[in-house]
Amino acid sequence: MANLLNTLINSIKHWYVPLILGILFLVFGIYIFTVPLETYVTLSILFSISFITSGLFEIFFSIQNSKTLSGWGWYLVGGLFSLTMGVYLVIYPGISIVILPFIVGFTVMFRSFQLLGIAFDMKSLGILRWGNLAIASVLGIVFSFILLANPIFSGISIVTATALAFIFIGTALTIGEDHWKKAWIGY
């Protein structure tokens, strides 16, 4: 394993690419903090598109497994719901900005209840780890109620989480730059 790692380290080309990416991520992360409204608008559009994609995949999954999966209709309903919401929000982007926290809250709630049902199905089948899924589902339900009770918190937290993710990624790439440089130059 050490030989493989040494081979990879000694064959690194363009060590500066992670540094450039790190700086870009840091700049974008800081920029997101400075323009939270614009970031929120962009995120609402991305969420709308992700609903469409998720819905299409879930519809495909449910139809392909309709003969073998018990409860496949829940996947179909979830997929149709996601697809419908995504299309509606792409058509009316102004609405998506206003209702994004509610969409996230209700989606988390629906998915959590869906997973709770699956957890109880696992219990009836004698699968021992059903409790882990049940606990995660209940936590998702509680979190969804928190999001729905305070939608302004949801909007702020979505933008803040995005900015912090970019800053953490940028920091990690920038800190790792010295490692890549040493591997490339060989000192």
Side-chain angles (χ1 to χ4, degrees):
M1 185 67 162
N3 289 335
L4 175 62
L5 186 58
N6 285 335
T7 303
L8 289 174
I9 288 174
N10 290 328
S11 64
I12 299 295
K13 295 179 175 99
H14 310 292
W15 61 268
Y16 49 86
V17 171
L19 174 63
I20 293 170
L21 288 174
I23 292 169
L24 286 174
F25 272 107
L26 283 170
V27 168
F28 285 134
I30 293 167
Y31 178 73
I32 289 169
F33 273 125
T34 63
V35 290
L37 183 60
E38 290 83 357
T39 302
Y40 188 74
V41 170
T42 303
L43 288 174
S44 70
I45 293 167
L46 291 175
F47 272 114
S48 300
I49 293 169
S50 72
F51 275 101
I52 292 171
T53 306
S54 171
L56 290 172
F57 277 109
E58 280 187 281
I59 291 168
F60 175 77
F61 176 80
S62 66
I63 291 170
Q64 292 297 315
N65 293 294
S66 63
K67 293 184 174 139
T68 57
L69 185 63
S70 174
W72 68 274
W74 286 109
Y75 289 102
L76 180 63
V77 169
L80 290 171
F81 175 75
S82 293
L83 178 63
T84 303
M85 289 301 296
V87 169
Y88 183 78
L89 294 174
V90 166
I91 293 171
Y92 301 106
I95 293 174
S96 69
I97 293 167
V98 174
I99 65 171
L100 179 63
F102 297 106
I103 293 169
V104 172
F106 281 118
T107 301
V108 169
M109 181 187 296
F110 179 80
R111 301 285 183 210
S112 297
F113 276 115
Q114 183 181 31
L115 289 172
L116 188 60
I118 292 170
F120 286 117
D121 286 345
M122 291 170 63
K123 179 183 178 187
S124 68
L125 292 173
I127 298 173
L128 296 177
R129 297 188 186 261
W130 71 272
N132 295 338
L133 182 57
I135 291 169
S137 300
V138 169
L139 290 174
I141 292 167
V142 170
F143 181 68
S144 69
F145 280 115
I146 292 170
L147 290 175
L148 291 170
N150 193 353
I152 294 186
F153 168 75
S154 302
I156 293 170
S157 63
I158 290 169
V159 172
T160 302
T162 303
L164 289 175
F166 273 58
I167 289 171
F168 290 146
I169 292 168
T171 302
L173 286 169
T174 305
I175 290 172
E177 171 272 333
D178 188 50
H179 168 72
W180 300 114
K181 183 175 156 184
K182 286 179 184 175
W184 187 69
I185 295 174
Y187 66 90

